[in-house]
């Protein structure tokens, strides 16, 4: 896997060293697996939105990734999308992976993603099959959200969500995931977006108007102007993330502000 084939980008903020060590170990194995058939390695860029550059370099060294990696100091918390744009600007690769620092990739995940995009020229980005930290299926792909979908999924108590389970199942593409087949989707999650880099650049990367939340929905819609987005279950990850409603008032405010920006840009859907 030559450096101009795949560029992997991760944005960190107050990194959990123990968890990130596992992330890097899994990533190293996946890079090695992909590279074994391609005689070289890719490139990894970590953008530090916090104050962890020294720790990040130590972890990269300790886990055998220092030779193919760089740490970019953002100089403050730029937000998720703007920080990822710094990494994209440093990439000359054919494929670009946007990835969270709390994602464990399966050993064959990168190989599967590269092969799939190689074989499907009209696909500009793919989303993997994901499980959470408990091994339960995580539904990363979404339909265009109605306001009620966001309220139910993000903030409603479990008892109320059960009353609207059919609606939420449709929003989260649960039937599609249950079929276990590759399929077109509307929106994909920013925790793992495996993109055709030319399309990502044409789309302009992430919209800097989004500090946190909805930047991936916005980018999904921009990417769809240049090709298809697909759910590819053969590509597999574990994602330890959580919902906005469980992260406190500051995150709720970011969520609400970004939702408003999203609907202003792309149109309201009330139900």
């Amino acid at each position: 896997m030559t450096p101009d084939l795949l560029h992997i980008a991760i944005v960190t903020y107050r990194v959990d060293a123990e968890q990130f060590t596992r992330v890097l170990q899994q990533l190293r194995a996946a890079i090695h697996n992909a590279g074994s058939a391609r005689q070289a390695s890719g490139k990894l860029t970590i953008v530090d939105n916090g104050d962890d550059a020294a720790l990040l370099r130590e972890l990269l060294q300790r886990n055998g990734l220092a030779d193919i990696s760089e740490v970019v100091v953002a100089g403050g918390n730029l937000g998720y999308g703007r920080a990822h744009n710094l990494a994209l600007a440093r990439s000359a690769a054919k494929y670009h992976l946007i990835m969270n620092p709390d994602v464990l990739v399966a050993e064959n995940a990168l190989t599967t993603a590269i092969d799939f995009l190689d074989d499907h020229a009209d696909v500009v980005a793919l989303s993997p099959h994901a499980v959470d930290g408990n091994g339960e299926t995580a539904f990363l792909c979404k339909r265009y959200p109605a306001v009620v979908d966001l309220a139910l999924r993000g903030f409603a108590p479990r008892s109320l969500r059960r009353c609207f389970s059919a609606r939420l199942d449709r929003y989260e593409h649960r039937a599609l995931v249950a079929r276990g087949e590759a399929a077109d989707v509307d929106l994909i999650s920013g925790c793992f977006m495996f993109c055709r880099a030319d399309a990502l650049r044409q789309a302009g990367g992430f919209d800097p108007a989004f500090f946190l939340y909805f930047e991936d929905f916005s980018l999904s819609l921009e990417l769809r102007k240049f090709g298809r987005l697909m759910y590819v279950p053969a590509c597999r990850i574990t994602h330890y993330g959580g919902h906005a409603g469980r992260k406190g008032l500051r995150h709720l405010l970011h969520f609400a502000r970004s939702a408003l920006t999203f609907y202003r840009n792309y149109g309201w859907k009330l139900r």
Side-chain angles (χ1 to χ4, degrees):
M1 182 170 53
T2 58
D4 58 352
L5 179 63
L6 176 62
H7 191 128
I8 302 165
I10 300 175
V11 171
T12 62
Y13 179 71
R14 296 178 180 173
V15 68
D16 179 328
E18 182 178 350
Q19 182 181 77
F20 198 55
T21 294
R22 295 196 299 272
V23 170
L24 293 177
Q25 290 171 346
Q26 294 281 115
L27 192 57
R28 181 183 63 187
I31 291 171
H32 176 76
N33 183 281
S36 62
R38 296 172 174 86
Q39 308 304 315
S41 179
K43 180 180 179 181
L44 169 63
T45 294
I46 299 176
V47 181
D48 176 26
N49 261 349
D51 190 24
D52 294 314
L55 172 61
L56 291 167
R57 292 187 181 101
E58 178 185 341
L59 293 176
L60 289 167
Q61 183 68 45
R62 191 184 304 167
N63 290 283
L65 289 167
D67 289 346
I68 64 164
S69 304
E70 63 174 343
V71 175
V72 176
V73 177
N77 189 356
L78 302 182
Y80 188 80
R82 286 181 63 199
H84 263 293
N85 287 345
L86 293 181
L88 178 61
R90 306 170 81 88
S91 172
K94 180 179 181 181
Y95 298 126
H96 189 89
L97 171 58
I98 296 162
M99 188 177 120
N100 270 20
D102 58 359
V103 165
L104 303 181
V105 297
E107 187 170 334
N108 68 342
L110 302 183
T111 302
T112 299
I114 291 169
D115 289 346
F116 190 89
L117 289 189
D118 278 349
D119 292 340
H120 298 81
D122 58 342
V123 176
V124 293
L126 66 80
S127 181
H129 178 80
V131 297
D132 62 21
N134 297 317
E136 300 293 328
T137 300
F139 298 93
L140 301 183
C141 302
K142 305 293 189 299
R143 298 180 189 274
Y144 192 96
V147 174
V148 67
D149 296 323
L150 299 179
L152 287 168
R153 188 175 181 274
F155 311 114
R158 186 172 299 177
S159 58
L160 184 58
R161 290 202 304 271
R162 281 198 295 267
C163 296
F164 293 90
S165 60
R167 180 189 184 96
L168 291 176
D169 287 356
R170 183 177 184 279
Y171 170 60
E172 296 178 336
H173 280 301
R174 290 192 178 224
L176 179 153
V177 173
R179 290 197 298 271
E181 301 172 352
D184 290 89
V185 292
D186 299 332
L187 307 171
I188 61 178
S189 169
C191 76
F192 187 103
M193 304 177 85
F194 198 101
C195 303
R196 200 174 297 278
D198 283 348
L200 188 56
R201 296 185 188 99
Q202 285 178 291
F206 285 104
D207 185 340
F210 297 92
F211 179 79
L212 186 64
Y213 302 118
F214 291 92
E215 65 281 294
D216 51 355
F217 282 15
S218 173
L219 181 56
S220 293
L221 293 175
E222 296 302 323
L223 283 168
R224 283 177 56 195
K225 296 175 181 178
F226 304 101
R228 301 160 67 195
L229 306 183
M230 293 198 71
Y231 165 70
V232 180
C235 181
R236 306 181 76 86
I237 68 168
T238 300
H239 181 218
Y240 287 91
H243 297 305
R246 302 172 190 168
K247 292 184 177 180
L249 179 60
R250 184 167 61 89
H251 282 267
L252 291 177
L253 292 174
H254 283 310
F255 186 90
R257 186 179 297 114
S258 292
L260 182 60
T261 301
F262 177 80
Y263 284 124
R264 282 175 173 169
N265 288 350
Y266 296 103
W268 290 86
K269 183 180 180 183
L270 299 179
R271 57 187 179 88

